[in-house]
Amino acid sequence: MTTETITADASGTWTLGDLPVHRIGFGAMRLTGSAAFHLGTPADRERSLAVLREAVQLGVNHIDTAAFYFSALRSANELINTALAPYPGDLVVVTKVGPFRDYQGEWGDAARPDELRGHVEENLRQLGRDHLDVVNFRRQNQDSIAEHFGALAELREAGLIRHLGISGVQPRHLAEALEIAPVVCVQNRYAVDRPDPADDEVLRLCGEHGIAFVPFYAVAGAAGPGGATTAHDEAVLSVARAHGASPAQVRIAWTLHQGPHVLAIPGTGDPAHLAENVAAGALRLTGEELALLDASRARTA
């Protein structure tokens, strides 16, 4: 499929609280290097800045980031601030708190509820904002998220955060959060080659409540933070051939076909991949193709 002139509006729109976004967004994790966090070599700074500016030119108005997205030389939040401030009025920047990395890039202990304000303030400082559009609490094996989500709800009441989301959760955690404050999005790992009944149920519940479901690693698959997978099964490859599309585009399209409330945030530091990812929002799969992909997914369960 051609990528010329295809912009993010081709994917449709959803509203995060009162913030409309195109269903194809951009994940900032890949901006910092050849692989996420400190696993690869640092990215070329000017190319990363150019990718961010081109994303906005292509109509992307939903960027996902975090203060812990950094490599030896690059910080995703700093790149976003440098490339895009003063921010376009329709741009929604979503960040997440909970995980922590020290200055050497090593992971620290999960944040306590009373430490989340510091995480929020660090994102505000790095992004150059006086409030954050959406903040996700990223669960790290906590049995209950009530105290953590409650702490963020207090920061929302204080005006530091506009809307709240959660990440890495099971259905019971969503129910727990909804007892405390409105939830506008849920970020869970989800991909065509990674079946998980709990995540399927979270996706369903999000649709029932009008909450955005935002998968991460939808393109990376099993490779996760290491980069986009090259292990595509025959169902993905055959659908890609039928549309003259790449396997990554089929993976993104399948994700968006899971419901009108499902968003995609593929990330890249490559301008060509950016255009390809955005163009995937215009890819329409047939019922037969979706059935083929779903059957293949079921076989990997």
Side-chain angles (χ1 to χ4, degrees):
M1 63 182 294
T2 180
T3 60
E4 293 181 9
T5 72
I6 298 178
T7 54
D9 61 314
S11 63
T13 60
W14 187 258
T15 302
L16 298 173
D18 61 349
L19 302 172
V21 295
H22 294 136
R23 293 178 64 215
I24 281 278
F26 179 81
M29 186 173 65
R30 308 289 182 194
L31 288 174
T32 64
S34 60
F37 314 122
H38 60 307
L39 301 178
T41 57
D44 178 83
R45 176 177 171 77
E46 292 305 315
R47 188 170 83 156
S48 292
L49 294 173
V51 165
L52 282 163
R53 291 168 180 145
E54 180 63 16
V56 171
Q57 289 296 312
L58 288 171
V60 169
N61 59 2
H62 169 205
I63 294 179
D64 178 79
T65 187
F68 53 83
Y69 288 175
F70 63 86
S71 67
L73 296 178
R74 304 283 175 258
S75 155
N77 281 355
E78 184 276 327
L79 291 166
I80 291 168
N81 189 345
T82 300
L84 301 178
Y87 296 100
D90 67 339
L91 180 65
V92 176
V93 179
V94 178
T95 189
K96 61 189 72 63
V97 297
F100 170 76
R101 294 172 68 206
D102 64 22
Y103 292 117
Q104 286 73 45
E106 298 303 318
W107 292 101
D109 295 333
R112 300 188 309 269
D114 64 308
E115 294 175 317
L116 292 181
R117 184 181 184 112
H119 287 215
V120 167
E121 290 178 344
E122 182 65 7
N123 278 280
L124 288 168
R125 183 189 67 78
Q126 292 178 4
L127 291 166
R129 304 287 296 270
D130 60 6
H131 76 280
L132 299 173
D133 296 326
V134 182
V135 174
N136 290 308
F137 171 64
R138 179 70 166 91
R139 186 179 74 94
Q140 293 179 282
N141 300 317
Q142 292 93 344
D143 183 61
S144 168
I145 65 169
E147 288 189 55
H148 291 81
F149 194 72
L152 291 181
E154 291 178 5
L155 297 179
R156 175 176 171 266
E157 290 298 318
L160 296 182
I161 302 170
R162 190 160 180 175
H163 297 294
L164 298 174
I166 50 180
S167 177
V169 297
Q170 298 173 10
R172 62 189 176 88
H173 299 116
L174 175 57
E176 197 174 34
L178 287 170
E179 289 291 322
I180 297 169
V183 175
V184 302
C185 58
V186 174
Q187 282 191 6
N188 274 15
R189 188 166 183 171
Y190 199 80
V192 66
D193 56 357
R194 192 176 184 274
D196 187 314
D199 284 329
D200 286 338
E201 177 64 5
V202 173
L203 183 151
R204 187 193 68 79
L205 289 169
C206 284
E208 186 176 284
H209 289 281
I211 297 168
F213 184 78
V214 190
F216 60 87
Y217 295 155
V219 175
T229 185
T230 57
H232 306 292
D233 67 22
E234 182 53 36
V236 170
L237 293 173
S238 66
V239 174
R241 287 192 296 267
H243 288 271
S246 71
Q249 286 179 312
V250 171
R251 294 173 71 96
I252 294 169
W254 178 87
T255 301
L256 293 174
H257 278 72
Q258 300 313 296
H261 65 298
V262 179
L263 311 183
I265 48 170
T268 184
D270 184 324
H273 289 165
L274 169 67
E276 178 182 295
N277 290 344
V278 171
L283 181 56
R284 303 293 183 259
L285 305 180
T286 67
E288 291 79 5
E289 289 168 338
L290 288 169
L292 176 67
L293 293 167
D294 290 344
S296 176
R297 184 172 190 260
R299 286 194 294 272
T300 64

PDB file of all heavy atoms in Angstrom, residues 208-228:
ATOM      1  N   GLU A 208     -16.898  -1.511  26.993  1.00  0.00           N
ATOM      2  CA  GLU A 208     -18.159  -1.399  27.721  1.00  0.00           C
ATOM      3  C   GLU A 208     -18.243  -0.082  28.487  1.00  0.00           C
ATOM      4  O   GLU A 208     -19.324   0.516  28.598  1.00  0.00           O
ATOM      5  CB  GLU A 208     -18.256  -2.579  28.693  1.00  0.00           C
ATOM      6  CG  GLU A 208     -19.563  -2.724  29.431  1.00  0.00           C
ATOM      7  CD  GLU A 208     -19.566  -3.976  30.286  1.00  0.00           C
ATOM      8  OE1 GLU A 208     -19.729  -5.078  29.717  1.00  0.00           O
ATOM      9  OE2 GLU A 208     -19.378  -3.857  31.517  1.00  0.00           O
ATOM     10  N   HIS A 209     -17.108   0.390  28.998  1.00  0.00           N
ATOM     11  CA  HIS A 209     -17.077   1.617  29.799  1.00  0.00           C
ATOM     12  C   HIS A 209     -16.692   2.862  28.987  1.00  0.00           C
ATOM     13  O   HIS A 209     -16.601   3.952  29.565  1.00  0.00           O
ATOM     14  CB  HIS A 209     -16.097   1.455  30.956  1.00  0.00           C
ATOM     15  CG  HIS A 209     -16.558   0.519  32.036  1.00  0.00           C
ATOM     16  ND1 HIS A 209     -17.467   0.883  33.008  1.00  0.00           N
ATOM     17  CD2 HIS A 209     -16.248  -0.775  32.287  1.00  0.00           C
ATOM     18  CE1 HIS A 209     -17.683  -0.130  33.821  1.00  0.00           C
ATOM     19  NE2 HIS A 209     -16.960  -1.162  33.400  1.00  0.00           N
ATOM     20  N   GLY A 210     -16.453   2.720  27.696  1.00  0.00           N
ATOM     21  CA  GLY A 210     -16.060   3.865  26.889  1.00  0.00           C
ATOM     22  C   GLY A 210     -14.649   4.338  27.171  1.00  0.00           C
ATOM     23  O   GLY A 210     -14.335   5.530  27.037  1.00  0.00           O
ATOM     24  N   ILE A 211     -13.785   3.411  27.551  1.00  0.00           N
ATOM     25  CA  ILE A 211     -12.396   3.710  27.893  1.00  0.00           C
ATOM     26  C   ILE A 211     -11.502   3.271  26.735  1.00  0.00           C
ATOM     27  O   ILE A 211     -11.690   2.190  26.162  1.00  0.00           O
ATOM     28  CB  ILE A 211     -11.991   2.963  29.178  1.00  0.00           C
ATOM     29  CG1 ILE A 211     -12.831   3.451  30.367  1.00  0.00           C
ATOM     30  CG2 ILE A 211     -10.508   3.107  29.463  1.00  0.00           C
ATOM     31  CD1 ILE A 211     -12.689   2.578  31.598  1.00  0.00           C
ATOM     32  N   ALA A 212     -10.513   4.072  26.393  1.00  0.00           N
ATOM     33  CA  ALA A 212      -9.569   3.687  25.345  1.00  0.00           C
ATOM     34  C   ALA A 212      -8.705   2.525  25.813  1.00  0.00           C
ATOM     35  O   ALA A 212      -8.214   2.519  26.948  1.00  0.00           O
ATOM     36  CB  ALA A 212      -8.681   4.867  24.972  1.00  0.00           C
ATOM     37  N   PHE A 213      -8.511   1.536  24.939  1.00  0.00           N
ATOM     38  CA  PHE A 213      -7.574   0.444  25.173  1.00  0.00           C
ATOM     39  C   PHE A 213      -6.386   0.686  24.258  1.00  0.00           C
ATOM     40  O   PHE A 213      -6.542   0.783  23.036  1.00  0.00           O
ATOM     41  CB  PHE A 213      -8.225  -0.909  24.877  1.00  0.00           C
ATOM     42  CG  PHE A 213      -7.335  -2.086  25.194  1.00  0.00           C
ATOM     43  CD1 PHE A 213      -7.169  -2.513  26.504  1.00  0.00           C
ATOM     44  CD2 PHE A 213      -6.678  -2.765  24.179  1.00  0.00           C
ATOM     45  CE1 PHE A 213      -6.355  -3.604  26.794  1.00  0.00           C
ATOM     46  CE2 PHE A 213      -5.869  -3.851  24.464  1.00  0.00           C
ATOM     47  CZ  PHE A 213      -5.696  -4.276  25.772  1.00  0.00           C
ATOM     48  N   VAL A 214      -5.203   0.811  24.849  1.00  0.00           N
ATOM     49  CA  VAL A 214      -4.018   1.249  24.097  1.00  0.00           C
ATOM     50  C   VAL A 214      -2.926   0.188  24.228  1.00  0.00           C
ATOM     51  O   VAL A 214      -2.160   0.197  25.197  1.00  0.00           O
ATOM     52  CB  VAL A 214      -3.513   2.614  24.611  1.00  0.00           C
ATOM     53  CG1 VAL A 214      -2.443   3.172  23.677  1.00  0.00           C
ATOM     54  CG2 VAL A 214      -4.664   3.601  24.768  1.00  0.00           C
ATOM     55  N   PRO A 215      -2.828  -0.736  23.287  1.00  0.00           N
ATOM     56  CA  PRO A 215      -1.820  -1.786  23.397  1.00  0.00           C
ATOM     57  C   PRO A 215      -0.400  -1.251  23.211  1.00  0.00           C
ATOM     58  O   PRO A 215      -0.164  -0.344  22.407  1.00  0.00           O
ATOM     59  CB  PRO A 215      -2.168  -2.732  22.241  1.00  0.00           C
ATOM     60  CG  PRO A 215      -3.578  -2.408  21.873  1.00  0.00           C
ATOM     61  CD  PRO A 215      -3.711  -0.945  22.135  1.00  0.00           C
ATOM     62  N   PHE A 216       0.539  -1.840  23.960  1.00  0.00           N
ATOM     63  CA  PHE A 216       1.945  -1.587  23.653  1.00  0.00           C
ATOM     64  C   PHE A 216       2.600  -2.886  23.196  1.00  0.00           C
ATOM     65  O   PHE A 216       2.104  -3.975  23.467  1.00  0.00           O
ATOM     66  CB  PHE A 216       2.694  -0.951  24.833  1.00  0.00           C
ATOM     67  CG  PHE A 216       2.735  -1.762  26.100  1.00  0.00           C
ATOM     68  CD1 PHE A 216       3.728  -2.713  26.308  1.00  0.00           C
ATOM     69  CD2 PHE A 216       1.808  -1.547  27.108  1.00  0.00           C
ATOM     70  CE1 PHE A 216       3.796  -3.445  27.488  1.00  0.00           C
ATOM     71  CE2 PHE A 216       1.866  -2.270  28.300  1.00  0.00           C
ATOM     72  CZ  PHE A 216       2.857  -3.227  28.486  1.00  0.00           C
ATOM     73  N   TYR A 217       3.684  -2.739  22.445  1.00  0.00           N
ATOM     74  CA  TYR A 217       4.381  -3.843  21.792  1.00  0.00           C
ATOM     75  C   TYR A 217       3.497  -4.581  20.789  1.00  0.00           C
ATOM     76  O   TYR A 217       3.688  -5.772  20.524  1.00  0.00           O
ATOM     77  CB  TYR A 217       4.947  -4.840  22.805  1.00  0.00           C
ATOM     78  CG  TYR A 217       6.022  -4.286  23.708  1.00  0.00           C
ATOM     79  CD1 TYR A 217       6.262  -4.859  24.954  1.00  0.00           C
ATOM     80  CD2 TYR A 217       6.800  -3.201  23.325  1.00  0.00           C
ATOM     81  CE1 TYR A 217       7.241  -4.364  25.797  1.00  0.00           C
ATOM     82  CE2 TYR A 217       7.780  -2.693  24.164  1.00  0.00           C
ATOM     83  CZ  TYR A 217       8.002  -3.269  25.395  1.00  0.00           C
ATOM     84  OH  TYR A 217       8.986  -2.783  26.229  1.00  0.00           O
ATOM     85  N   ALA A 218       2.531  -3.870  20.204  1.00  0.00           N
ATOM     86  CA  ALA A 218       1.675  -4.502  19.197  1.00  0.00           C
ATOM     87  C   ALA A 218       2.468  -4.858  17.946  1.00  0.00           C
ATOM     88  O   ALA A 218       2.162  -5.854  17.277  1.00  0.00           O
ATOM     89  CB  ALA A 218       0.521  -3.567  18.833  1.00  0.00           C
ATOM     90  N   VAL A 219       3.472  -4.055  17.618  1.00  0.00           N
ATOM     91  CA  VAL A 219       4.337  -4.352  16.472  1.00  0.00           C
ATOM     92  C   VAL A 219       5.529  -5.194  16.908  1.00  0.00           C
ATOM     93  O   VAL A 219       5.938  -6.127  16.228  1.00  0.00           O
ATOM     94  CB  VAL A 219       4.817  -3.052  15.794  1.00  0.00           C
ATOM     95  CG1 VAL A 219       5.817  -3.352  14.690  1.00  0.00           C
ATOM     96  CG2 VAL A 219       3.619  -2.289  15.220  1.00  0.00           C
ATOM     97  N   ALA A 220       6.083  -4.892  18.065  1.00  0.00           N
ATOM     98  CA  ALA A 220       7.278  -5.601  18.526  1.00  0.00           C
ATOM     99  C   ALA A 220       6.996  -7.061  18.827  1.00  0.00           C
ATOM    100  O   ALA A 220       7.877  -7.916  18.669  1.00  0.00           O
ATOM    101  CB  ALA A 220       7.843  -4.918  19.768  1.00  0.00           C
ATOM    102  N   GLY A 221       5.777  -7.370  19.259  1.00  0.00           N
ATOM    103  CA  GLY A 221       5.457  -8.755  19.583  1.00  0.00           C
ATOM    104  C   GLY A 221       6.367  -9.293  20.668  1.00  0.00           C
ATOM    105  O   GLY A 221       6.676  -8.619  21.647  1.00  0.00           O
ATOM    106  N   ALA A 222       6.849 -10.511  20.473  1.00  0.00           N
ATOM    107  CA  ALA A 222       7.677 -11.158  21.487  1.00  0.00           C
ATOM    108  C   ALA A 222       8.999 -10.440  21.701  1.00  0.00           C
ATOM    109  O   ALA A 222       9.620 -10.572  22.756  1.00  0.00           O
ATOM    110  CB  ALA A 222       7.926 -12.613  21.092  1.00  0.00           C
ATOM    111  N   ALA A 223       9.450  -9.663  20.717  1.00  0.00           N
ATOM    112  CA  ALA A 223      10.724  -8.958  20.846  1.00  0.00           C
ATOM    113  C   ALA A 223      10.661  -7.871  21.909  1.00  0.00           C
ATOM    114  O   ALA A 223      11.683  -7.476  22.473  1.00  0.00           O
ATOM    115  CB  ALA A 223      11.131  -8.354  19.499  1.00  0.00           C
ATOM    116  N   GLY A 224       9.467  -7.352  22.188  1.00  0.00           N
ATOM    117  CA  GLY A 224       9.286  -6.370  23.245  1.00  0.00           C
ATOM    118  C   GLY A 224      10.201  -5.173  23.114  1.00  0.00           C
ATOM    119  O   GLY A 224      10.288  -4.546  22.046  1.00  0.00           O
ATOM    120  N   PRO A 225      10.938  -4.821  24.185  1.00  0.00           N
ATOM    121  CA  PRO A 225      11.782  -3.633  24.133  1.00  0.00           C
ATOM    122  C   PRO A 225      12.952  -3.752  23.174  1.00  0.00           C
ATOM    123  O   PRO A 225      13.603  -2.756  22.848  1.00  0.00           O
ATOM    124  CB  PRO A 225      12.269  -3.483  25.575  1.00  0.00           C
ATOM    125  CG  PRO A 225      12.150  -4.845  26.169  1.00  0.00           C
ATOM    126  CD  PRO A 225      10.952  -5.460  25.511  1.00  0.00           C
ATOM    127  N   GLY A 226      13.236  -4.956  22.703  1.00  0.00           N
ATOM    128  CA  GLY A 226      14.363  -5.146  21.799  1.00  0.00           C
ATOM    129  C   GLY A 226      14.154  -4.589  20.405  1.00  0.00           C
ATOM    130  O   GLY A 226      15.107  -4.381  19.669  1.00  0.00           O
ATOM    131  N   GLY A 227      12.910  -4.344  20.014  1.00  0.00           N
ATOM    132  CA  GLY A 227      12.636  -3.820  18.679  1.00  0.00           C
ATOM    133  C   GLY A 227      11.535  -4.591  17.994  1.00  0.00           C
ATOM    134  O   GLY A 227      11.009  -5.556  18.538  1.00  0.00           O
ATOM    135  N   ALA A 228      11.193  -4.173  16.787  1.00  0.00           N
ATOM    136  CA  ALA A 228      10.106  -4.821  16.052  1.00  0.00           C
ATOM    137  C   ALA A 228      10.460  -6.267  15.736  1.00  0.00           C
ATOM    138  O   ALA A 228      11.585  -6.588  15.362  1.00  0.00           O
ATOM    139  CB  ALA A 228       9.830  -4.057  14.759  1.00  0.00           C
TER     140      ALA A 228
END
